[in-house]
Amino acid sequence: MAAGELRHEIVSLLVHELRNPLGAVLGSVRSLRGAGVRRSARQRHLDVVETNALRIEELLDSLSLVSSADRAEALSLTAAPTPVDVVLRDAAERARKLMGGLLRVSLEVRCDSATIVNVDLRRMVRALAGLAVASMTFASKGGVVAWTSRDAPGRIELDLPDPGIDLHDDHAPRVHDEGFWASRPRAVGLRLTTRAAVLVVRAHGGAVVRTMDPEPVLRVHLPRVP
Amino acid sequence: MSTERRKSRRGRRGGGPAGADLERARGLHVLVVDDFDDNREMYAEYLAHVGMRVSQARDGHDAVRKAIDLSPDLIVMDLSLPDLDGWDATRLLRADPRTARTPIVAVTGHAIGTHAATARAVGCDEVLTKPLLPEDLLDHIVSIVARRR
């Protein structure tokens, strides 16, 4: 595909990805302005506004990160030693907000709070939440997804169980495979989010791999603070 | 949508069509198809609020199944859907004598390229672009139903 055509296609798909959350925001604001909105409905509309504003922010952040990487610009990080449970719990909280009413599974965090990682907390939280949302968007309803961490030589491993972006196991490896995503243009938002998350993890000296253990897992490796 | 029409909507309190057309539309059975839950529920809630009976589907296969089983009076169809997209779902519905004449309103975030033309070519009666307020959707539903009578 010619570069101009590809750019047109990407812009078209991004516009589509932005219109859905924008529609939800505008609709909820319109409802909130109406007379006689019940307290429960008011809270629900506010939640819809927050969730969808975060989705728009996520998409724009990811676009900005990926665009910078494509121009070979280094990602600037403000890293500090941080307990891994803080990273995971903050990421889980953001993932819950991003999923909003779409959260079809219960999200739990199981980790050793004594383990310390050197991370840019804001960027890492967004990266992990983005990975989680990408993997859970089309997950079946019900059940519990538990995020866990474990020590490994020189690093820690964070396991984000991957209920699947509506995929068959044979599609692995997935998150790094450009060809796979190219065949699924409607998932461009998820693709951007996932690619941005992988960039952030790599900038921390880590990696994201997909493995079976025995179910599909996105395993994030991060250097451990000795 | 014309600028004049937009202006008239902004100036209207409460939104939505008024009078006999709306009365005729009350009691219609509408199937709302969208995989983006917040939007689907927003449309479903609003249409139910004005007196329509509403069913919902979140993918193309579910949409085709429900359209055939429930025989809605009108279908609101998102185009980007998992598994079976809105274009193919519409093709299937148009090919089935039980749903061949059911009005289908496509509501989509695709505003660039040939998406809208393709949607019309496969049988959608109207193609509307998101973001679309529920009362604007109602306007179009009422207008399509009025034209069909």
Side-chain angles (χ1 to χ4, degrees):
Chain A
M1 191 184 285
E5 227 177 296
L6 183 62
R7 193 179 310 119
H8 175 76
E9 185 70 11
I10 289 171
V11 169
S12 167
L13 291 164
L14 274 171
V15 166
H16 172 263
E17 292 289 322
L18 286 167
R19 282 178 187 274
N20 265 326
L22 183 60
V25 168
L26 291 174
S28 283
V29 168
R30 183 62 168 250
S31 297
L32 284 166
R33 286 186 189 279
V37 182
R38 288 195 308 274
R39 183 173 293 186
S40 60
R42 180 181 167 78
Q43 187 54 53
R44 188 164 46 80
H45 287 307
L46 287 172
D47 289 344
V48 168
V49 169
E50 183 183 26
T51 293
N52 286 285
L54 283 174
R55 286 174 182 155
I56 293 171
E57 179 195 47
E58 178 83 11
L59 197 58
L60 295 177
D61 265 4
S62 300
L63 183 61
S64 171
L65 264 172
V66 168
S67 174
S68 297
D70 285 347
R71 289 198 308 273
E73 289 174 9
L75 179 61
S76 82
L77 297 175
T78 311
T82 311
V84 72
D85 71 324
V86 170
V87 180
L88 278 183
R89 286 180 208 290
D90 284 5
E93 183 56 30
R94 182 171 173 85
R96 286 190 192 99
K97 283 185 177 172
L98 278 169
M99 294 297 284
L102 289 171
L103 189 60
R104 300 178 186 287
V105 291
S106 168
L107 196 55
E108 286 183 9
V109 175
R110 300 168 189 160
C111 61
D112 178 0
S113 60
T115 305
I116 304 292
V117 286
N118 198 40
V119 294
D120 182 320
L121 184 60
R122 178 178 167 277
R123 285 203 186 273
M124 187 55 69
V125 161
R126 288 177 177 220
L128 295 179
L131 280 178
V133 170
S135 70
M136 287 162 56
T137 294
F138 298 122
S140 301
K141 196 171 182 175
V144 175
V145 168
W147 291 4
T148 55
S149 71
R150 79 170 68 80
D151 288 331
R155 69 183 192 219
I156 64 150
E157 295 175 349
L158 309 175
D159 280 359
L160 314 180
D162 180 6
I165 311 177
D166 199 22
L167 301 174
H168 191 273
D169 288 345
D170 293 345
H171 289 139
R174 206 180 51 179
V175 293
H176 312 296
D177 181 356
E178 288 292 313
F180 174 82
W181 288 108
S183 69
R184 282 178 155 65
R186 69 172 300 276
V188 67
L190 300 181
R191 176 189 176 189
L192 260 182
T193 301
T194 306
R195 196 170 158 213
V198 171
L199 285 171
V200 169
V201 171
R202 285 182 182 161
H204 283 81
V208 180
V209 295
R210 184 176 187 269
T211 186
M212 301 294 286
D213 189 18
E215 298 297 319
V217 169
L218 287 179
R219 183 161 292 161
V220 180
H221 298 171
L222 284 177
R224 185 157 48 104
V225 174
Chain B
M1 185 189 305
S2 72
T3 309
E4 286 309 310
R5 202 166 172 199
R6 280 181 192 280
K7 280 180 185 166
S8 75
R9 287 212 177 106
R10 284 196 199 101
R12 193 175 56 213
R13 279 177 168 270
D21 284 348
L22 178 57
E23 279 310 312
R24 278 196 289 272
R26 286 191 212 281
L28 284 181
H29 181 192
V30 178
L31 173 62
V32 180
V33 187
D34 198 327
D35 65 330
F36 196 85
D37 294 15
D38 288 339
N39 284 338
R40 189 187 65 247
E41 285 163 11
M42 174 176 71
Y43 294 140
E45 202 172 283
Y46 185 82
L47 297 178
H49 173 72
V50 299
M52 294 182 180
R53 190 154 66 88
V54 182
S55 300
Q56 300 183 44
R58 68 186 312 272
D59 63 57
H61 289 301
D62 195 24
V64 172
R65 197 165 41 245
K66 284 182 174 159
I68 290 170
D69 290 349
L70 305 175
S71 300
D73 299 301
L74 183 142
I75 299 168
V76 176
M77 179 78 81
D78 183 23
L79 293 177
S80 286
L81 296 167
D83 299 330
L84 180 72
D85 65 35
W87 292 280
D88 285 341
T90 301
R91 277 190 194 99
L92 290 176
L93 292 171
R94 288 298 177 239
D96 190 309
R98 292 166 292 184
T99 51
R101 287 187 44 77
T102 308
I104 299 177
V105 181
V107 179
T108 177
H110 290 295
I112 301 175
T114 58
H115 298 104
T118 308
R120 286 196 182 87
V122 299
C124 292
D125 294 86
E126 280 210 46
V127 182
L128 309 176
T129 303
K130 294 176 183 174
L132 179 74
L133 289 172
E135 56 263 41
D136 291 335
L137 174 62
L138 176 64
D139 269 0
H140 287 276
I141 290 175
V142 167
S143 141
I144 286 177
V145 170
R147 283 204 308 267
R148 286 279 182 122
R149 287 180 189 223

